[in-house]
Amino acid sequence: MINPQKILHLAVAIAAALLAGCSQEETPGVSLSSGEYPLILTAGGLKAVATPTQKSAPSTRGTVDNDWRGVTSVAVEADNEVKEYKVTPLDGESKTAKLEVKDGGEPFYWQSTTETKTITAWHPYSNTYPTAWTVEANQNANDGYKKSDLIKATATLTFDQRNTPITFEHQIAKVIVKLTADAGVTLDGITAVQLLDIEGVKSGNTITACKSDEATYLALLNGQKIEANKGFIQVNVGDNRFVYTPTAAKTLANGTVYTYTITVKASGIEVTAATGGEWTDSGSENVGVTITGVTITYDGTETEPKIGDYYYSDGTWSDGGLRKLYDDGTMEWAKPQPQPENGKNVIAIVFHAGHHENDGSDYSATGIGQQKCHGYAVALQDATNDCRPWGVYGTELGCCPTDGSGNKQDNSSTPDIDWSGYAWTQKIITAAGGKDKLNTTQNSGYPATYYAVVDYASKVPSPANSTGWFLPSIGQMWNVYQNRTSLFEGKTVVSGLKSDWYWSSSEYYSGPANYALYVDVSNDRVRYYRKSGWISYVRPVLAF
């Protein structure tokens, strides 16, 4: 699994223009003379991906090209003010750079040893952070690819933390198009690769991709939804125009790489589309299945999890029988289905491979050890033998997705926007006063979470490299319900869902203090009910 999408680490250092005899050690609370401790930044550790192999002059390079040459300045905001910091590459390969206030400018200063500074930095430089970022239409000319990149870093530091690294992240998405030639066909006649009907382009709605090498094209775009049944990737071969039209909608997320492998044939093109991966040196994430045309075909190997796989108590998984997954969501399974590996203890079934794009949970502090997970698995049976209440009525916990302005989103009619079950469960645990305070008392103990997190874990321990069991969000529980036949039927080790109601960890967006969401299996719907109501069962899940 690849590391989180980071392109460079920013170590904040203090340039000590110290007076003779002044110690580096300061007594807490001591005021610092104005002009004595300027803020100087060191940027390094670039990990930008997919650098074009046909380099031009250094002036065309930028953060997207894995070095600092050609980057003249960055914006640094602190103390409610934005200043321009110049960039001076340090090492031979320009992987690190010194960032200091532009010549003639007044730097930021530390005023006290107990001061806290909130620092925001971005590139390209502008007086204010460009919230409405637009990308270049022609990214194959005039540095259009480099100019389309936008990076940003934020951190809150105390004087004692002044050397703490700050991380810049890409604020746009990347598409990589890899071309291969069918027998008897060459790539010599390709004149351009373009992305069609794209929002947020400076001129028009088409992006001409940057040619990295003979077979690789790169494009940057704002994160957005690519609609089904509309042309997306166009390959221009001589006078011919071949267009890839996805049959299912897909959301391209900022900070993520999406790779499409296109085979150019005499009669057209064939597309292999990889799932989105984090923007790092290792490129797009491989989920262990290959998408050919409109199907996902299992190739007989098991390097990454896929839907329906058996998940074991030692944190490993094996083939659960999925053979094809079509763009419309229908699946084909091996008959008979594979059995679990001998000598291993199955504890769950994988219901989603890879980190879901709408999961805002941070798994760094869990056994996963990184921000994003490898997949999600559902328990083999319910955690309760009868219905139980959700928990405290009349208290809002914040278990609902919000937009960029903090407005609650409708997670009832569109449950798939809400996949942060682990994060919501942690909020519930905090509200209870800690995991040890969860219990069956509905006015304080949050029973549904207790049965998922504490009681079930005592019966079915989870692997050390997982999150442990938690109460699924409405999007996660809805996904399990929708795929229940494929996930459970034909597998003797698992019990299916009852024709009843199942709690989620999600609060109802329109009444979060009083109502939580549940999946109504018997009536094929998502509904809300009083948190104090004894109406739903509990089926735990985990991330790994």
Side-chain angles (χ1 to χ4, degrees), residues 122-419:
W122 59 89
H123 169 76
Y125 170 80
S126 59
N127 290 329
T128 59
Y129 179 73
T131 54
W133 180 248
T134 55
V135 298
E136 299 289 329
N138 189 350
Q139 297 184 14
N140 197 43
N142 301 320
D143 295 340
Y145 178 63
K146 182 196 74 173
K147 293 175 182 176
S148 298
D149 195 19
L150 174 65
I151 57 173
K152 181 182 179 182
T154 59
T156 299
L157 304 173
T158 64
F159 181 76
D160 291 339
Q161 296 171 324
R162 56 191 181 273
N163 295 314
T164 301
I166 299 176
T167 302
F168 276 81
E169 298 181 1
H170 289 284
Q171 304 302 302
I172 42 75
K174 170 181 276 186
V175 169
I176 301 175
V177 178
K178 294 184 177 180
L179 302 179
T180 61
D182 201 12
V185 177
T186 69
L187 301 178
D188 297 339
I190 295 176
T191 57
V193 172
Q194 297 178 308
L195 305 187
L196 309 178
D197 200 22
I198 303 300
E199 298 176 355
V201 183
K202 284 187 177 180
S203 175
N205 60 357
T206 298
I207 294 175
T208 298
C210 170
K211 185 177 181 180
S212 172
D213 56 39
E214 189 64 26
T216 305
Y217 290 77
L218 316 171
L220 303 178
L221 67 157
N222 291 297
Q224 58 194 272
K225 184 177 182 180
I226 304 301
E227 299 292 345
N229 303 314
K230 293 180 68 175
F232 175 38
I233 300 175
Q234 177 174 293
V235 180
N236 300 341
V237 185
D239 294 331
N240 295 318
R241 303 290 184 267
F242 299 119
V243 178
Y244 165 57
T245 302
T247 58
K250 185 176 184 64
T251 299
L252 306 185
N254 288 330
T256 307
V257 178
Y258 299 85
T259 300
Y260 294 83
T261 300
I262 295 181
T263 302
V264 180
K265 299 183 175 183
S267 59
I269 61 174
E270 180 180 271
V271 178
T272 300
T275 61
E278 294 147 351
W279 196 336
T280 65
D281 284 329
S282 52
S284 291
E285 179 182 2
N286 176 9
V287 297
V289 292
T290 302
I291 307 174
T292 305
V294 296
T295 69
I296 296 180
T297 304
Y298 178 59
D299 62 7
T301 62
E302 193 70 20
T303 57
E304 293 289 339
K306 63 183 190 305
I307 299 170
D309 280 0
Y310 298 103
Y311 184 75
Y312 300 108
S313 59
D314 62 359
T316 62
W317 54 85
S318 69
D319 180 23
L322 178 64
R323 290 298 175 263
K324 289 184 179 181
L325 170 60
Y326 293 87
D327 276 1
D328 64 3
T330 58
M331 305 178 191
E332 292 184 17
W333 295 81
K335 296 181 180 180
Q337 289 194 14
Q339 294 301 307
E341 293 183 3
N342 290 331
K344 288 200 172 186
N345 179 31
V346 183
I347 63 169
I349 304 296
V350 176
F351 67 91
H352 187 276
H355 188 95
H356 194 278
E357 60 188 5
N358 293 327
D359 182 3
S361 305
D362 185 345
Y363 297 107
S364 302
T366 73
I368 296 172
Q370 61 185 31
Q371 184 179 4
K372 295 187 176 182
C373 65
H374 303 73
Y376 311 81
V378 58
L380 302 181
Q381 58 270 327
D382 296 343
T384 56
N385 294 323
D386 51 14
C387 296
R388 296 289 172 172
W390 193 90
V392 179
Y393 181 85
T395 301
E396 180 180 351
L397 305 184
C399 301
C400 179
T402 57
D403 61 19
S405 300
N407 301 311
K408 296 181 182 65
Q409 296 180 291
D410 184 355
N411 56 350
S412 177
S413 61
T414 54
D416 197 54
I417 67 172
D418 186 349
W419 268 71

Side-chain angles (χ1 to χ4, degrees), residues 412-431:
S412 177
S413 61
T414 54
D416 197 54
I417 67 172
D418 186 349
W419 268 71
S420 303
Y422 176 78
W424 301 160
T425 298
Q426 300 313 302
K427 287 179 179 288
I428 296 170
I429 291 172
T430 298

